Amino acid sequence: MDRELKRSFIASCKPDEPVGPQDPRHYDFDTPSLRLRGEPWRERLSAVIDFAAEPTAQLVTGLRGSGKTTELRQLERDLTERGYRVVMADAGQWLSNERPLTTEDLMLALVLALFPDGKPEDVGGWVDEYAKQAWRFLNSKVELQGGIAAVKASLTTDETLFQRVAKQLRDLDGLREDIHELLASAAKGSRDQGQELVIILDGAEKRATGDLDASARREEFHNHWFASFILQARDLKPPVHTIYTVPPFMVRRASELTANFGVELQFLPMVRLYERDGVLNLPGVEAMVEALHRRVAAKHFADPAIPRWLVSRCGGYFRDLLRFLTEMTYRVGEAPRFTREHAEQAVAHVQQNYLQALVLEDKQLLRQLHPSRKFPDDEASQVRMDSLLQGFKMFRYHNGGPWYDAHPLSWAELGFADDLPDWSRFEGTG
């Protein structure tokens, strides 16, 4: 296999790269003929906005790499085609990993999401007027250096400055009213031009989670997330349609979020490759294979069983499938096509990374989980859910209701090697 072909595979199979709905690599697992992730995620978000008589605020989550950004970009396109003005911003660029999240962080992120890049006068209309109002508001509360055009760039490139501004805002009285009034003005300006405004704050769930801290410190980070959307929910429900991405550990207190924030937490599940009873779901397998072939054509595999065997090991987590292909590309050498041996070596390599992180407590819980696909409801296990989801040791699926399973790469280690389909299961396919 020549160098340029390998380079094209590496470029096409970047595990951390979201793809938009216009990208030829994009594959929709939620078409009416498939429904491989249960009730379509983005359809529900869109319906809540479209049927509402007043502004809505919604919460979405899912494991990192499960396709949240891709789905939100699809939602952005769908809403735009229906006449909405959608602003999608990466809130992760403003939040810090060094301290717990605050409600003021997210409120300031909402303000910056609508603030234009560059010179506001180049945009014109309500955006220009909003930028002037936002500048006056921020500069009256917190003295900023530079002119109006430098506000967003400064707060984006200087994390310390963002934190300082958020902290100073936190000490002010009437902050919620001021920011809500500011956002209401933007919503009215957009509406007067014939477009209802929607803000999507993506990327926040990747920050301020305390993943690398000790358990007590990590729980502090988690509790700040819960406090923002449970205790201070009113602050994060501005008079404009808003969608927030939140960390997957928040599913642990989904009922409280529903009661206090007023909407259900929408969890983007994995693609369903296995039914809840463990039977292989062939439509799911074939859909994943087709999605893979949009990046690496079928002709580059020595036989059609190879991509299907790879899919059966990824658990519906497309990012792992891309990891398999990346590792195979490094191992293929001068061979003209990918072989079963390359596939086995690549899967073993990725599997080892998972097994190294699988501690005794995880194994005990997952051994109980895998046969039933039901997560234990005792308090100790619920706390453990955070690390299992965050560490991709456990996946969530929707098929007649939510259910969980251990990552297939751990099944053999847990004593369920026979549950994995072997090569013979996929021979004669394609």
Side-chain angles (χ1 to χ4, degrees):
M1 198 174 283
D2 66 47
R3 176 173 176 268
E4 289 308 311
L5 187 58
K6 294 176 188 177
R7 286 169 62 90
S8 71
F9 292 159
I10 295 297
S12 185
C13 295
K14 293 178 181 177
D16 297 323
E17 180 187 17
V19 296
Q22 305 295 344
D23 193 301
R25 295 172 295 171
H26 177 254
Y27 187 89
D28 189 355
F29 294 104
D30 297 320
T31 60
S33 61
L34 291 175
R35 295 292 194 249
L36 293 173
R37 291 187 289 201
E39 181 181 339
W41 198 60
R42 66 176 181 269
E43 286 185 16
R44 177 57 178 264
L45 299 177
S46 178
V48 169
I49 291 171
D50 205 39
F51 299 161
E54 56 189 21
T56 62
Q58 300 186 73
L59 306 177
V60 298
T61 192
L63 298 190
R64 188 174 299 184
S66 59
K68 293 187 301 300
T69 298
T70 296
E71 285 298 292
L72 288 172
R73 286 179 178 172
Q74 179 74 50
L75 174 67
E76 177 187 20
R77 187 179 75 169
D78 294 348
L79 288 173
T80 300
E81 290 176 349
R82 293 164 70 174
Y84 288 85
R85 172 68 176 266
V86 184
V87 176
M88 185 168 171
D90 176 14
Q93 65 186 320
W94 299 309
L95 306 182
S96 172
N97 283 325
E98 304 302 318
R99 64 179 179 84
L101 177 88
T102 68
T103 305
E104 289 73 25
D105 290 336
L106 293 171
M107 295 172 74
L108 181 54
L110 285 173
V111 172
L112 292 180
L114 294 181
F115 206 99
D117 297 315
K119 298 179 180 179
E121 59 266 26
D122 293 341
V123 182
W126 70 264
V127 179
D128 181 16
E129 181 59 32
Y130 167 80
K132 293 174 182 176
Q133 293 177 9
W135 161 252
R136 288 194 292 268
F137 164 72
L138 290 173
N139 211 37
S140 67
K141 307 297 183 183
V142 181
E143 188 174 345
L144 297 173
Q145 300 297 318
I148 186 172
V151 172
K152 188 171 185 177
S154 298
L155 290 173
T156 299
T157 57
D158 190 340
E159 186 178 277
T160 302
L161 177 61
F162 180 92
Q163 293 178 41
R164 180 171 64 82
V165 171
K167 183 179 184 303
Q168 289 180 263
L169 292 176
R170 186 160 60 249
D171 296 333
L172 299 174
D173 294 329
L175 177 64
R176 180 184 67 250
E177 289 77 8
D178 288 341
I179 288 184
H180 283 202
E181 182 179 350
L182 188 62
L183 296 175
S185 175
K188 182 180 184 302
S190 183
R191 193 179 305 113
D192 288 345
Q193 292 186 2
Q195 294 178 305
E196 195 74 21
L197 183 61
V198 180
I199 303 175
I200 301 176
L201 276 192
D202 188 26
E205 80 286 356
K206 302 172 185 175
R207 309 300 293 269
T209 59
D211 287 346
L212 300 180
D213 291 286
S215 57
R217 175 68 170 163
R218 184 167 58 250
E219 191 65 17
E220 178 188 2
F221 275 77
H222 289 191
N223 284 337
H224 272 74
W225 273 98
F226 289 126
S228 291
F229 290 96
I230 293 177
L231 301 180
Q232 297 162 330
R234 188 171 55 153
D235 294 353
L236 297 179
K237 300 175 72 173
V240 58
H241 293 297
T242 308
I243 297 173
Y244 302 92
T245 57
V246 299
F249 62 72
M250 294 186 73
V251 72
R252 174 159 52 99
R253 298 175 67 177
S255 60
E256 291 175 79
L257 287 167
T258 300
N260 290 275
F261 203 73
V263 294
E264 292 184 10
L265 173 62
Q266 298 294 321
F267 197 112
L268 182 65
M270 294 300 167
V271 175
R272 192 171 69 254
L273 297 182
Y274 297 90
E275 300 293 350
R276 194 166 185 168
D277 60 5
V279 174
L280 197 65
N281 178 41
L282 293 181
V285 173
E286 293 306 313
M288 291 284 280
V289 169
E290 184 177 342
L292 176 60
H293 285 336
R294 295 190 179 188
R295 298 169 187 255
V296 180
K299 65 182 180 181
H300 298 298
F301 296 91
D303 73 71
I306 296 172
R308 290 162 177 81
W309 184 87
L310 290 170
V311 165
S312 72
R313 267 68 184 164
C314 77
Y317 185 33
F318 197 71
R319 180 180 285 194
D320 271 354
L321 189 55
L322 297 181
R323 286 192 180 116
F324 297 159
L325 261 295
T326 298
E327 186 63 25
M328 289 168 68
T329 302
Y330 290 129
R331 293 175 180 271
V332 69
E334 298 302 315
R337 293 187 294 176
F338 295 119
T339 67
R340 293 186 181 189
E341 182 179 3
H342 298 137
E344 290 173 347
Q345 291 172 349
V347 169
H349 175 82
V350 176
Q351 180 183 40
Q352 187 58 35
N353 291 331
Y354 277 112
L355 295 183
Q356 286 175 345
L358 205 61
V359 298
L360 179 61
E361 292 85 352
D362 291 339
K363 293 179 184 179
Q364 292 173 337
L365 185 52
L366 293 175
R367 284 194 186 102
Q368 177 183 354
L369 167 72
H370 176 66
S372 67
R373 270 68 172 189
K374 183 178 185 301
F375 199 84
D377 57 7
D378 61 279
E379 184 175 351
S381 296
Q382 290 291 318
V383 172
R384 197 84 193 158
M385 177 189 284
D386 297 349
S387 65
L388 292 173
L389 286 172
Q390 295 285 95
F392 311 100
K393 304 166 190 175
M394 178 180 75
F395 294 148
R396 176 172 166 133
Y397 303 89
H398 286 187
N399 180 17
W403 52 280
Y404 298 88
D405 199 0
H407 194 308
L409 292 181
S410 69
W411 290 359
E413 180 72 13
L414 300 174
F416 303 105
D418 291 342
D419 289 356
L420 277 171
D422 59 19
W423 284 106
S424 64
R425 179 66 179 80
F426 305 107
E427 290 171 352
T429 58

